[in-house]
Amino acid sequence: MSQSELPRAIDFIFPTLEALKELGGSARRGEVISAVAEREGLTDEQLEARYEASGDLIADDRISWALSDLKKMGAVDNSRRGVWAITEAGQRIESQSEIDTQLRAVRAGLAARTAPRRHNEHADADDNHELDLAEASDLDTGWQATLLQRLLDMSPAGFERLIQRLLREAGFREVEVLGRSGDGGLDGVGVYRLSLVSFPIYFQCKRYSGSVPPSAVRDFRGAMAGRGEKGLLVTTGTFTRSARDEASRDGASPVQLINGEDLCDLLKEHELGVVTRIRQIEDVTVDAEWFARFESV
């Protein structure tokens, strides 16, 4: 098959953005490629077509370039763990014409940046200093409380998509948000691979400011019956002792619990909405006895 029989990379940009939206706003590269291929109705022959020189798959390469162009537009970003996610700017793009306009602007900007630019280092330093002072309280004390309140302010659907993104960053594959009527109380499912074995793990999200009771664990386990044996219950609150006992009860399907504190730590670890700055602080003391030696000579 000739390269001309496949859409150009530029023609994949908008379908790639739409595919990401359908995947819940974030996905790994392979998931994006599969979703775009299905959305565009690519045949097996098209998907298997390769460049003669390199042997690389043409469709994969062009969709990857589409992701790259979307990133240049600020419509998506990608983490160090290989998860691509739509930004707020990307959510606002609704047509191919908007893509064309932004792509022209990006290319014009790249051309302009080839000229020398002046850079005021002192101004940058001042701006960074003001930013550090403004955010010091959240970074040093109370950041978890601030984060938990922000999570509580999210819509149920938004919180589910956040957990979907977190699970992808943590290594889960094919993470899908269910969250619809008829899902039996399950918010989503993802595939986790342990060595050579892969198994589905269902998850449920609860934005609680208080404690989750054992009945919630039992209800979640009941919703999983006949679908899977492992579950993940995530909350912004805490779990009662009875709930923790119920989650690990002998003879019942295990349910892994993630409370609000654990959730904050995971978001921090995976750098999702939490910025950590390491600052060096000098602790200077005066050793009075050291000076005394000069008096005894």
Side-chain angles (χ1 to χ4, degrees), residues 284-294:
V284 182
T285 59
V286 176
D287 184 355
E289 293 184 3
W290 187 87
F291 291 94
R293 69 178 68 177
F294 294 95

Side-chain angles (χ1 to χ4, degrees), residues 1-7 50-52 58 62:
M1 172 180 292
S2 67
Q3 298 180 22
S4 61
E5 294 182 53
L6 271 169
R50 297 177 181 271
Y51 293 114
E52 291 183 6
I58 301 174
R62 292 182 179 177

Side-chain angles (χ1 to χ4, degrees), residues 132-143 279:
D132 287 343
L133 291 178
E135 298 183 355
S137 59
D138 279 350
L139 291 173
D140 293 340
T141 59
W143 69 270
R279 292 180 293 166

Side-chain angles (χ1 to χ4, degrees), residues 145-204:
T146 301
L147 176 56
L148 287 173
Q149 185 57 56
R150 181 64 186 87
L151 297 179
L152 286 169
D153 291 340
M154 296 181 73
S155 67
F159 187 58
E160 289 168 3
R161 287 192 292 270
L162 172 65
I163 301 305
Q164 178 187 40
R165 172 71 183 277
L166 175 60
L167 293 180
R168 281 174 169 151
E169 297 287 353
F172 283 66
R173 305 280 178 168
E174 302 174 25
V175 185
E176 179 184 2
V177 170
L178 303 175
R180 302 290 186 271
S181 59
D183 62 12
L186 300 175
D187 291 328
V189 61
V191 176
Y192 188 74
R193 181 171 181 174
L194 183 62
S195 186
L196 299 178
V197 180
S198 298
F199 46 85
I201 295 183
Y202 286 87
F203 63 90
Q204 189 176 71

Side-chain angles (χ1 to χ4, degrees), residues 59-134:
D60 286 24
D61 179 64
R62 292 182 179 177
I63 295 172
S64 296
W65 274 110
L67 282 169
S68 179
D69 283 332
L70 285 168
K71 183 176 180 179
K72 291 174 185 175
M73 296 177 200
V76 304
D77 58 25
N78 63 313
S79 70
R80 290 179 297 179
R81 298 167 186 86
V83 177
W84 292 83
I86 298 178
T87 64
E88 290 185 13
Q91 291 286 2
R92 294 193 292 268
I93 298 175
E94 297 181 350
S95 67
Q96 179 64 48
S97 62
E98 293 177 80
I99 290 288
D100 295 339
T101 300
Q102 293 200 28
L103 189 57
R104 283 194 296 270
V106 166
R107 289 175 176 173
L110 288 174
R113 284 199 292 272
T114 58
R117 294 182 303 166
R118 292 186 177 181
H119 183 67
N120 189 330
E121 294 180 355
H122 296 294
D124 286 349
D126 289 342
D127 289 344
N128 289 336
H129 179 63
E130 290 175 3
L131 182 64
D132 287 343
L133 291 178

